[in-house]
Amino acid sequence: MSTSERLIESTRELLWERGYVGTSPKAIQQLSGVGQGSMYHHFDGKPDLAFAAITRTAEEMRAKAALELDGPGSTIERLTVYLHRERDVLRGCPVGRLTQDPEVMADPTLRRPVRETFGWLRGRLAELLAEGRESGELDPALDPVATASTIVAVLQGGYVLARAADSTEPFTEAVEGVLGLLAARSRPGTRAS
Amino acid sequence: MSTSERLIESTRELLWERGYVGTSPKAIQQLSGVGQGSMYHHFDGKPDLAFAAITRTAEEMRAKAALELDGPGSTIERLTVYLHRERDVLRGCPVGRLTQDPEVMADPTLRRPVRETFGWLRGRLAELLAEGRESGELDPALDPVATASTIVAVLQGGYVLARAADSTEPFTEAVEGVLGLLAARSRPGTRAS
DNA sequence: GTCTATAATCGGATAGAC
DNA sequence: GTCTATCCGATTATAGAC
């Protein structure tokens, strides 16, 4: 792996674990094994490096979700695949955690990938739910846009509860809970071709 | 307000806005108008002061929720009152945000109020949902424990989405979405005496 | 490209005078 | 109780040699 790669990957790890405010250039150098001078040769400084790391993390998150939500099966089946994906629950969401970082939120450049990722995700889920409603799989009274935000919120909030409890249990409960509520508004016989 | 009070209140503000890692003793002194020596006279240091602040914030959150969830009305009505309470959405949850702070999570003393608050809240909501099921208001197939975690997660995740979007809209959507899903599993005619 | 030296400021406190 | 002085390490770099 190149020096630049090692720096970005180490920064991603540290941002996930400690956030932007809690991550120092020195820590990045130590984790990556890259020296001071070398780091400042490849990147302008902490914000520049963080931008590279955040962008990559956001793209990865989006790509994974897209794969599952574009996959085969009915709306409920795809949602179930998405919600049941194995996650590093106790570490939380590497993108969602950045919303708690005042310096990330204050910098439009660092903030943009965060905003765009959740904007895209809510939109994509709303589309999927709307399709399910059209096809007759879901109750016509269900609001696709609101429900999409609910689903993303359940995941993001599930991480919070899991970290608070130091247990994956509340995350799992929250996911099963929303799937249970959705199931009651679907006609199981309906399947996407 | 006493010196001690001013220190605690300033710490609460800063913890809410910047988290534990992002809050320095100097910032607390400046916001509270209390001098260095004075601060260290009243509190042992940053962790001690943070403990006082976190404890108070957690108790306040719990007291507010208890009031609404113990209030009058059916299960759905109480949930609606709770979920529709006016909140400082863009600032996020002052307790939930602490789960993202590695130093708070690493210290059992600082962590306990966070863990207990969400533990209590999930339990209280599960009780309320179970009552609604007993009384016939809610579908007998609804899982009170899982649904309770879902509801808390929607709030916590709603904050995340609102901060990401820099708009209260996704929070409102997420709340309306889960209320819509719950409504479909309730018999509106049923009312608590 | 990478290394070491240097530096101004902040973080988180302790000591002792008033 | 409050104030000022002092301290040591961390933060976030820059400069210049190799």
Side-chain angles (χ1 to χ4, degrees):
Chain A
M1 199 160 32
S2 74
T3 300
S4 202
E5 270 313 294
R6 291 213 312 282
L7 284 166
I8 292 173
E9 289 303 315
S10 299
T11 304
R12 295 216 298 155
E13 285 300 310
L14 289 165
L15 285 182
W16 193 359
E17 202 171 309
R18 309 203 24 101
Y20 183 82
V21 168
T23 296
S24 67
K26 178 179 254 181
I28 295 169
Q29 291 153 29
Q30 283 170 349
L31 184 61
S32 63
V34 170
Q36 189 104 321
S38 199
M39 189 193 112
Y40 282 100
H41 172 75
H42 290 283
F43 294 92
D44 277 354
K46 181 173 158 174
D48 186 33
L49 194 37
F51 177 70
I54 292 172
T55 302
R56 184 175 295 182
T57 298
E59 273 167 5
E60 214 171 71
M61 174 168 157
R62 177 171 165 160
K64 269 191 229 163
L67 211 65
E68 292 154 351
L69 298 176
D70 293 346
S74 68
T75 291
I76 291 286
E77 282 167 350
R78 294 190 216 181
L79 284 176
T80 303
V81 165
Y82 172 61
L83 290 171
H84 280 171
R85 182 213 302 161
E86 194 175 320
R87 288 173 167 89
D88 213 336
V89 172
L90 290 181
R91 295 190 80 188
C93 174
V95 181
R97 84 104 59 223
L98 298 171
T99 62
Q100 302 300 328
D101 212 302
E103 302 197 10
V104 171
M105 290 298 98
D107 181 334
T109 303
L110 294 180
R111 179 183 200 141
R112 169 182 279 152
V114 176
R115 164 181 238 141
E116 287 179 352
T117 300
F118 287 114
W120 173 84
L121 185 54
R122 292 197 291 131
R124 182 67 192 91
L125 282 168
E127 268 177 33
L128 182 59
L129 290 164
E131 278 172 41
R133 204 175 54 166
E134 302 303 300
S135 75
E137 184 190 355
L138 294 174
D139 184 342
L142 180 141
D143 180 340
V145 169
T147 309
S149 288
T150 300
I151 290 169
V152 183
V154 164
L155 285 175
Q156 293 298 313
Y159 287 123
V160 170
L161 298 184
R163 285 181 63 90
D166 197 21
S167 157
T168 59
E169 193 180 24
F171 180 93
T172 306
E173 284 176 5
V175 165
E176 295 313 314
V178 77
L179 281 172
L181 292 172
L182 281 164
R185 303 201 65 169
S186 69
R187 293 192 299 147
T190 311
R191 285 290 179 276
S193 61
Chain B
M1 197 160 35
S2 74
T3 300
S4 203
E5 269 313 294
R6 292 214 311 281
L7 284 165
I8 293 174
E9 289 303 315
S10 298
T11 305
R12 296 217 297 155
E13 286 300 308
L14 288 165
L15 286 181
W16 193 0
E17 201 172 308
R18 310 202 25 99
Y20 184 82
V21 168
T23 297
S24 67
K26 178 179 254 181
I28 295 169
Q29 291 152 29
Q30 284 170 349
L31 184 60
S32 62
V34 170
Q36 189 105 320
S38 199
M39 187 191 113
Y40 282 102
H41 172 76
H42 291 284
F43 293 93
D44 277 355
K46 180 173 158 174
D48 186 34
L49 194 38
F51 177 71
I54 291 172
T55 301
R56 183 174 295 182
T57 298
E59 273 167 6
E60 215 172 71
M61 173 169 158
R62 177 171 165 160
K64 269 191 229 163
L67 211 64
E68 293 155 350
L69 298 177
D70 294 347
S74 69
T75 291
I76 291 286
E77 283 167 350
R78 294 191 216 181
L79 283 176
T80 303
V81 165
Y82 173 62
L83 290 172
H84 280 170
R85 182 212 302 161
E86 194 174 322
R87 288 174 166 89
D88 212 338
V89 172
L90 289 181
R91 295 189 80 186
C93 173
V95 181
R97 84 106 58 225
L98 298 170
T99 62
Q100 301 299 327
D101 212 302
E103 301 196 10
V104 172
M105 291 298 98
D107 181 334
T109 302
L110 294 181
R111 179 184 199 138
R112 169 182 279 152
V114 177
R115 162 181 241 142
E116 286 179 353
T117 300
F118 287 114
W120 173 83
L121 185 55
R122 292 197 290 131
R124 182 67 193 90
L125 282 168
E127 267 175 35
L128 181 59
L129 290 164
E131 278 171 41
R133 204 175 55 166
E134 301 303 300
S135 75
E137 185 190 355
L138 295 174
D139 183 343
L142 180 141
D143 180 339
V145 169
T147 309
S149 289
T150 301
I151 291 168
V152 183
V154 164
L155 286 175
Q156 293 299 314
Y159 287 121
V160 170
L161 298 185
R163 286 180 62 88
D166 196 20
S167 157
T168 59
E169 192 180 24
F171 181 93
T172 305
E173 285 176 5
V175 164
E176 296 313 315
V178 78
L179 280 173
L181 293 172
L182 280 164
R185 303 202 65 171
S186 69
R187 292 192 299 148
T190 311
R191 285 290 179 278
S193 62

